[in-house]
Amino acid sequence: MLDNGFPLATESNILKELIKPPTILRTVVNTITGSTNVGDQLPTGQLSVVPWRRTGVKYTNNEAYFDVIEEIDAIIDKSGSTITAEIQGVIDACVKLTGMPDLTLSFMNPRLLDDVSFHPCVRFKRWESERILSFIPPDGNFRLLSYHVSAQNLVAIPVYVKHNISFRDSSSLGRFEITVGPKQTMGKTIEGVTVTSQMPKGVLNMSLTPSQGTHTFDPVTKMLSWDVGKINPQKLPSLKGTMSLQAGASKPDENPTINLQFKIQQLAISGLKVNRLDMYGEKYKPF
Amino acid sequence: MTDSKYFTTTKKGEIFELKAELNSDKKEKKKEAVKKVIASMTVGKDVSALFPDVVNCMQTDNLELKKLVYLYLMNYAKSQPDMAIMAVNTFVKDCEDPNPLIRALAVRTMGCIRVDKITEYLCEPLRKCLKDEDPYVRKTAAVCVAKLHDINAQLVEDQGFLDTLKDLISDSNPMVVANAVAALSEIAESHPSSNLLDLNPQSINKLLTALNECTEWGQIFILDCLANYMPKDDREAQSICERVTPRLSHANSAVVLSAVKVLMKFMEMLSKDLDYYGTLLKKLAPPLVTLLSAEPELQYVALRNINLIVQKRPEILKHEMKVFFVKYNDPIYVKLEKLDIMIRLASQANIAQVLAELKEYATEVDVDFVRKAVRAIGRCAIKVEQSAERCVSTLLDLIQTKVNYVVQEAIVVIKDIFRKYPNKYESVIATLCENLDSLDEPEARAAMIWIVGEYAERIDNADELLESFLEGFHDESTQVQLQLLTAIVKLFLKKPTETQELVQQVLSLATQDSDNPDLRDRGYIYWRLLSTDPVAAKEVVLAEKPLISEETDLIEPTLLDELICYIGTLASVYHKPPSAFVEGGRGVVHKSLPPRTASSESAESPETAPTGAPPGEQPDVIPAQGDLLGDLLNLDLGPPVSGPPLATSSVQMGAVDLLGGGLDSLMGDEPEGIGGTNFVAPPTAAVPANLGAPIGSGLSDLFDLTSGVGTLSGSYVAPKAVWLPAMKAKGLEISGTFTRQVGSISMDLQLTNKALQVMTDFAIQFNRNSFGLAPAAPLQVHAPLSPNQTVEISLPLSTVGSVMKMEPLNNLQVAVKNNIDVFYFSTLYPLHILFVEDGKMDRQMFLATWKDIPNENEAQFQIRDCPLNAEAASSKLQSSNIFTVAKRNVEGQDMLYQSLKLTNGIWVLAELRIQPGNPSCTLSLKCRAPEVSQHVYQAYETILKN
């Protein structure tokens, strides 16, 4: 909501109170009583010191979930050494707690985080002094904090790629072979692996056979993509085959870039660990 | 059948149906109908005909319906102002509703209805809402004041809303504070002259407290407002910085950027040796890096801002080079921007990494990016001298790839490297020549031709190479043609024997067969040079070239400082000041960084103004528009025709001018009081300089008490003040003062070039002024003024220029021209530079004149804190040409009777009463032109106090 170009309310909890999201129950009630989804009371939270939380929240099951999601952004050169690597992490929360709970979340190793940006609910002073996240959470889903771990704290990349791509001068065929394997995964499986690679313009087509998954090559954009899936450490997935090149043309100048994406469940690659979560201010026991 | 039926309203159709529904009794139906109306309005159908019917629905207790009607009103009230009045009553009633939501809604909607008639009725409800008990209503009302101000500024001021708004800054609720600040900032922006946001340490403290508690948008308003505040010392700046730093960890990137802006601005005031300065630098880096993890669009905005920050303070991000490494899947605009920042951060410490990266980029697919990467390698070579060797070898490797555009780009940058490090890397020329045939872009061809011409003596077949280019001379672009012409002339001068034919050929091609005037002119110049004096030609054409500078595409320092003040706005993304792209009056307020505090005066502070302008003496620069401009442009801006010795005829002219010009008005209503004898005194410029001591002393009578004590020392000279700040004059800063020495007035100027380019062709001109001051000689700046250079000039002035009464009397409007532009500023000159040396009046004459001037022309002033005795005061004043005619002692008080004469012949008589032991003295002035009294008093004060 804007007023004269100034943002008036952007907090979703308040907007939801002003105009209630339609639910089946509410539609039924509205048709019977003739009331509407438009709230006619001023949202209480709007002016309080905790504008993000509405009052009168009630749940029968009190629960709170926190997801630590980390993304590694790394550039690795062709010999396998890391040029830059950094970790962008976020903690997303889903809090369904009655009343006005006051939570504290502490980490085993908070010094790991280089730069953090918080949801406004987090008390910054306590973080500065004690490295503890203390906050009255908004109701529902929200992003508690996002952080950044830079390359200074050496990031161990959990996968490796073995590649053997060669073009030969004066030959219209090139060899292509890549293998993906796990490395330092702490016993977790690597899932959702996809490999994409931009091939040089001189490549006309590719005939490849994957040991697992499916692959496609778009001869117009020269984009090779290979959907690998899970990596089985006993039998490493590989993609082998030949490339047909423009006949007579010289060897392409540019080297193909291999872009690898993957997921590992239940592993925070930075080593960030949550120590404990405490709740104050309310009498009931969560969970 | 008549045609009149076409003009009767149809009783059918959508509008008619809606009308019927709107007037229905059923609430549900009414609401449905209004919804339909709003829907039609939204898609652009004209439903204004339904205005009265919709307004009728306004009186309802159903909030949803009310909101819909308000929405309709906002849209159509303007087209139906008379009807809109009908709604006023309901608005006023709603403003007193017990539900704060409705009160706020009513006042918000009223503000959005831009109808004059309604605004009158808005005042009362708005006043109430500004004092409402509910903070939600107060904060809505605060915004409403800004809206109302936009419609009718006068009304808002008359009603005193601005003061109420200022009071809201001290409100207990942070949200109200934030909105009040936002509203005030907006009003202040559209009225730059009003100092609405007159912040003091107390209100700053309140803002800082509110900052921690309000919403993210509120934080942005408060931070932006803080950025406009000028802390009084570095302590205060530091304490504000300390309280702003936590905002750097906010999740909203706009809050982070605003906080960065405040910190960057206040850091200016912190001393560099301070521990806190270092801490702050460290704290600024991580949030900037984190901004780069957002979406590409946000990244781009962040990068544009970082680009500015890096130019201002490279030390912040010097260790963060790696985050600017380009990712494969970055969009091209992010890639290019990152590349730019990488080069700015490149230094000896990280050059190896940077080069390795750049080399990699040069093999990418995207042509634009590759080109920029190759260019970047060249810039690294120029910037980091130690790396030049490596850069050149990298470039050679790239040339070996034979990729057409890479080779071309590499040749262009190698040319620059040759300019920077002459006679160092000529060994690579052979490799370059191998690629001659593949060049097809004009820039690359021109660069290659330049190289061949420049090093013709080392290239065996230079003539053949150039000849090959000459074949298609007329198909080349101008750039190449010009280069080719120059290169062949160079070749001829180096190897005259073998290339005579070639040079003939190119000269005739350029002069006879070309349509391009530039080419033809250059051809003729070379031709004539060669034909008249080949030795001179050699000196001219093969002259040593200046080395090129390290950083070529830096933003000018003054612009950079201004842009730093606009971090987080569009200006910082465009890298242009808001005045360049915002139309109308808004946003033209120039912002500037605070000056560095004296404590931090270190060797490397080019941003410090060379002369500290005393506070409160801000020169006002004349806006370059309107009639003033015309007035000044009438004056010839070329150097004045005559030198210092002004002919008598011109003195005559001046005198005539003085009589006929604006002096009538200066003299006020007593034209007959001006004695002819007093008046024809020649202007000072005609007084022979060697007279030195006051002429009056020659006629000295018995009462002369101070026989020329210290007269040769000249009058008091004020310290130089900045008259034209660099920001307003494209980098030219002018400071100066006025002096009077032995009969001649001069203006001592100090010109500083704060721009990046050389300034030449200076000229100065004055607008007509009260005393006919005009430059007596052209402005002599002998050498071009190179960047960061300062030159001091003394400009002699005469008082024979044309006369026009100015307001204030001693105002002087000046135009200064250089090769860049014409700049205007105005300054106030102290009146005592106009006191002439023969200003001593005979005692009898003094008495007679004193009696003759009517009493209402007498002005009395107090000069405080001036513990001088009569002797000291008298001698001090005499050195500034104020002469003591007589001295008396009455009841323990010393009375000095003094006279002085202005260059235009006006006499001023003074009585100075000094009481021994009392630091303040009384000055009575009598003059036929009472306007000057005030200024004479000011002159007395400055002379006595210095």
Side-chain angles (χ1 to χ4, degrees), chain A residues 1-11 18-19 34-43 45-52 73-75 77-78 82-86 88 114-120 124-125 127-128 143-144 146-148 150-152 196-201 223 253-259 261, chain B residues 28 31 61-64 67 99-102 108 112 134-137 139-140 143-144 146-147 173-176 179 182-183 186 212-217 219 221 245-252 256 283 286-293 319-320 322-323 325-329 353 357 360 363-365 367 401 403 405:
Chain A
M1 266 165 61
L2 290 174
D3 181 17
N4 197 29
F6 302 144
L8 191 67
T10 48
E11 203 63 53
L18 276 171
I19 297 174
S35 63
T36 62
N37 285 339
V38 179
D40 54 2
Q41 285 304 314
L42 186 62
Q46 169 114 37
L47 296 156
S48 66
V49 260
V50 277
W52 52 85
D73 242 329
I75 305 175
D77 71 6
K78 61 180 166 193
T82 310
I83 292 176
T84 113
E86 54 178 15
Q88 308 284 354
D114 277 337
D115 180 49
V116 279
S117 54
F118 298 114
H119 189 274
F124 189 70
K125 287 234 168 70
W127 169 258
E128 285 276 89
R143 175 157 294 179
L144 181 63
S146 54
Y147 58 89
H148 175 91
S150 74
Q152 271 95 12
T196 48
S197 178
Q198 172 77 53
M199 301 311 286
K201 269 175 272 178
M223 185 67 83
D253 320 301
E254 62 263 38
N255 298 318
T257 326
I258 298 170
N259 201 346
Q261 285 176 317
Chain B
E28 268 311 299
K31 199 160 81 186
D61 44 9
N62 185 320
L63 190 65
E64 191 182 3
K67 280 187 174 174
N99 187 345
L101 196 59
I102 294 183
R108 184 187 309 141
C112 293
D134 195 297
Y136 182 71
V137 181
K139 84 175 188 141
T140 314
V143 177
C144 190
K147 294 183 204 164
N173 188 298
M175 252 64 97
V176 180
N179 272 18
E186 185 170 300
N212 292 325
E213 290 168 9
C214 62
T215 63
E216 42 199 348
W217 308 110
Q219 294 184 2
F221 297 139
T245 16
R247 295 301 114 210
L248 290 175
S249 302
H250 201 281
N252 186 326
V256 176
K283 279 194 174 162
L288 291 174
V289 172
T290 304
L291 286 177
L292 296 181
S293 59
H319 299 303
E320 303 289 346
K322 281 190 171 176
V323 299
F325 283 179
V326 170
K327 286 179 192 145
Y328 174 71
N329 45 2
Q353 269 184 333
E357 275 294 303
E360 209 58 48
T363 61
E364 283 236 23
V365 234
V367 177
T401 62
V403 180
Y405 49 85

Side-chain angles (χ1 to χ4, degrees), chain B residues 509-523:
Chain B
L509 275 174
T511 53
Q512 284 159 20
D513 302 341
S514 169
D515 304 332
N516 188 314
D518 286 344
L519 187 63
R520 246 181 359 234
D521 284 356
R522 195 185 280 194

Side-chain angles (χ1 to χ4, degrees), chain A:
Chain A
M1 266 165 61
L2 290 174
D3 181 17
N4 197 29
F6 302 144
L8 191 67
T10 48
E11 203 63 53
S12 66
N13 272 316
I14 288 178
L15 293 174
K16 274 183 198 159
E17 246 180 288
L18 276 171
I19 297 174
K20 297 185 178 74
T23 56
I24 296 173
L25 180 68
R26 207 166 273 144
T27 329
V28 175
V29 172
N30 286 350
T31 32
I32 297 167
T33 61
S35 63
T36 62
N37 285 339
V38 179
D40 54 2
Q41 285 304 314
L42 186 62
T44 41
Q46 169 114 37
L47 296 156
S48 66
V49 260
V50 277
W52 52 85
R53 191 174 177 89
R54 59 194 171 97
T55 47
V57 183
K58 271 211 177 77
Y59 288 103
T60 42
N61 286 329
N62 287 304
E63 47 191 14
Y65 297 98
F66 292 89
D67 289 335
V68 181
I69 301 164
E70 291 191 340
E71 278 178 34
I72 319 172
D73 242 329
I75 305 175
I76 296 169
D77 71 6
K78 61 180 166 193
S79 62
S81 56
T82 310
I83 292 176
T84 113
E86 54 178 15
I87 296 174
Q88 308 284 354
V90 293
I91 297 187
D92 282 343
C94 176
V95 176
K96 294 185 172 171
L97 296 172
T98 310
M100 273 282 172
D102 193 336
L103 303 180
T104 52
L105 182 76
S106 58
F107 296 107
M108 306 276 265
N109 40 7
R111 313 245 158 234
L112 209 64
L113 310 180
D114 277 337
D115 180 49
V116 279
S117 54
F118 298 114
H119 189 274
C121 67
V122 178
R123 295 184 185 98
F124 189 70
K125 287 234 168 70
R126 276 197 79 182
W127 169 258
E128 285 276 89
S129 55
E130 303 167 51
R131 298 272 151 178
I132 285 176
L133 294 178
S134 152
F135 55 98
I136 296 174
D139 188 35
N141 294 311
F142 67 101
R143 175 157 294 179
L144 181 63
L145 94 155
S146 54
Y147 58 89
H148 175 91
V149 180
S150 74
Q152 271 95 12
N153 309 321
L154 277 174
V155 180
I157 310 289
V159 288
Y160 69 88
V161 176
K162 261 202 291 198
H163 58 92
N164 183 5
I165 303 168
S166 58
F167 307 100
R168 260 162 296 164
D169 265 328
S170 70
S171 155
S172 61
L173 279 182
R175 266 196 323 148
F176 184 95
E177 179 179 351
I178 51 176
T179 313
V180 186
K183 163 169 110 173
Q184 295 150 327
T185 58
M186 320 220 190
K188 306 276 195 295
T189 34
I190 302 172
E191 302 170 2
V193 182
T194 51
V195 178
T196 48
S197 178
Q198 172 77 53
M199 301 311 286
K201 269 175 272 178
V203 177
L204 290 180
N205 212 340
M206 304 181 83
S207 72
L208 303 168
T209 27
S211 68
Q212 75 178 75
T214 53
H215 82 282
T216 52
F217 176 73
D218 183 345
V220 181
T221 57
K222 315 285 180 203
M223 185 67 83
L224 169 74
S225 65
W226 176 30
D227 195 347
V228 184
K230 260 187 211 167
I231 294 182
N232 178 2
Q234 272 74 51
K235 189 172 166 287
L236 295 180
S238 63
L239 184 67
K240 279 184 216 169
T242 53
M243 300 174 275
S244 51
L245 307 172
Q246 218 150 17
S250 62
K251 175 174 136 180
D253 320 301
E254 62 263 38
N255 298 318
T257 326
I258 298 170
N259 201 346
L260 183 77
Q261 285 176 317
F262 59 91
K263 275 187 220 159
I264 305 175
Q265 300 280 3
Q266 299 179 340
L267 172 73
I269 200 74
S270 65
L272 185 74
K273 284 203 177 72
V274 174
N275 186 19
R276 54 182 294 146
L277 177 75
D278 299 303
M279 188 180 81
Y280 306 95
E282 291 290 334
K283 296 218 159 39
Y284 59 86
K285 271 285 229 195
F287 320 114

Side-chain angles (χ1 to χ4, degrees), chain B residues 924-936:
Chain B
S924 306
L925 293 175
K926 260 193 169 185
C927 177
R928 293 194 197 273
E931 291 97 326
V932 300
S933 300
Q934 176 67 32
H935 301 284
V936 172

